[in-house]
Amino acid sequence: MALIRCENLTMGYENQLAVEQVSFAIEAGDYVCIVGENGSGKTTLLKGLLGLLCARSGSITYGDGLRQNMIGYLPQQTIVQKDFPASVYEVVLSGCLNRRGLRPFYSAAERRIADANIERLSIAGLRRRSYRELSGGQQQRVLLARALCATEKLLLLDEPVTGLDPVVTAELYALIRQLNQEGVTIIMVSHDINCAMHNAGKILHMSTHVLFYGSSEEYQKSALCQKFLGGGHHG
């Protein structure tokens, strides 16, 4: 059974449709990049998968024991987030919020999960540092560790390398690929189509509806990919 299946999914804001009649299935272990021009519904689709925005019609179903509150999410960075006045450890631990439920304190098991993900992303040396004093690349590692505290199965990443220099970008992509090889399913929105094709196993190209969904190899050969690369669209 697919990890996530969307069937004829339609979503929008007030009078405007952002996602129309979208259907696709994502299997456990997939690495899917969502590409498309600005306004093509990429971020809206992620919000739907997370349950932050309701479908107008169609359905999203989850398999393999996955629930919405078991999905790790790395949203686009905002200025407010960059200036968050907490320690690295506190930020990572906050990824266990859904596990904690209504309890006032984190359990020892949740603290162990946070510790494990701090080690996993090689940020143990930063754990007492203030989040807002870190570089952009360090902040993204911290947020990735936080997202991993929420999940063992699925990460949703929305433009995770925006504003990072090429070296840090390459490191972050390598890290995401490693997590995928360790069994975490990845769904990533990216405006960098070359990196998307290089890293992901599957490409979902959107323009409010699905224009293409298949392997990166098939996508590279498609007229749509040639047109998109040639047209200078990087939204």
Side-chain angles (χ1 to χ4, degrees):
M1 184 179 180
L3 194 61
I4 290 184
R5 184 181 297 280
C6 291
E7 292 189 32
N8 300 320
L9 181 66
T10 297
M11 300 170 64
Y13 308 91
E14 293 175 7
N15 301 323
Q16 188 179 4
L17 292 180
V19 172
E20 292 182 66
Q21 297 286 311
V22 165
S23 297
F24 63 91
I26 290 172
E27 307 294 331
D30 275 351
Y31 184 157
V32 180
C33 259
I34 305 175
V35 301
E37 296 174 25
N38 282 337
S40 59
K42 303 185 295 291
T43 297
T44 303
L45 179 60
L46 287 196
K47 286 180 177 175
L49 298 179
L50 286 161
L52 300 175
L53 194 64
C54 290
R56 295 215 175 156
S57 62
S59 64
I60 304 173
T61 50
Y62 304 86
D64 199 22
L66 182 71
R67 296 195 305 273
Q68 277 177 337
N69 67 352
M70 293 160 59
I71 298 173
Y73 179 43
L74 185 63
Q76 288 185 28
Q77 272 263 53
T78 64
I79 299 301
V80 174
Q81 283 170 318
K82 286 180 189 292
D83 205 30
F84 195 62
S87 72
V88 164
Y89 180 68
E90 287 168 327
V91 172
V92 175
L93 185 59
S94 71
C96 291
L97 212 52
N98 278 336
R99 295 174 188 267
R100 196 180 85 182
L102 298 174
R103 284 181 282 114
F105 302 107
Y106 292 102
S107 67
E110 287 154 357
R111 292 179 180 279
R112 280 196 295 275
I113 290 168
D115 287 335
N117 284 314
I118 283 171
E119 291 291 336
R120 191 175 185 181
L121 293 194
S122 308
I123 51 174
L126 304 174
R127 60 181 289 142
R128 296 187 195 286
R129 293 269 305 276
S130 172
Y131 174 78
R132 62 180 169 192
E133 291 168 6
L134 304 181
S135 69
Q138 289 171 330
Q139 287 189 343
Q140 286 301 76
R141 277 182 180 255
V142 171
L143 293 179
L144 204 48
R146 178 183 186 274
L148 283 166
C149 284
T151 191
E152 286 155 21
K153 296 189 176 185
L154 176 63
L155 279 178
L156 301 189
L157 312 172
D158 196 351
E159 303 276 14
V161 299
T162 300
L164 302 181
D165 69 51
V167 172
V168 176
T169 294
E171 284 175 1
L172 204 64
Y173 274 132
L175 194 56
I176 293 165
R177 203 160 53 237
Q178 183 187 329
L179 291 171
N180 179 242
Q181 286 163 357
E182 290 170 7
V184 181
T185 304
I186 306 288
I187 303 174
M188 179 168 72
V189 168
S190 178
H191 67 275
D192 186 338
I193 203 153
N194 285 311
C195 268
M197 289 189 297
H198 178 69
N199 286 284
K202 292 181 181 175
I203 302 289
L204 174 64
H205 191 133
M206 289 186 64
S207 175
T208 69
H209 52 287
V210 175
L211 296 179
F212 176 93
Y213 183 52
S215 73
S216 298
E217 290 80 12
E218 291 168 333
Y219 181 69
Q220 268 173 308
K221 296 172 190 162
S222 71
L224 177 65
C225 175
Q226 303 308 319
K227 184 182 170 197
F228 197 60
L229 285 173
H233 295 301
H234 297 292

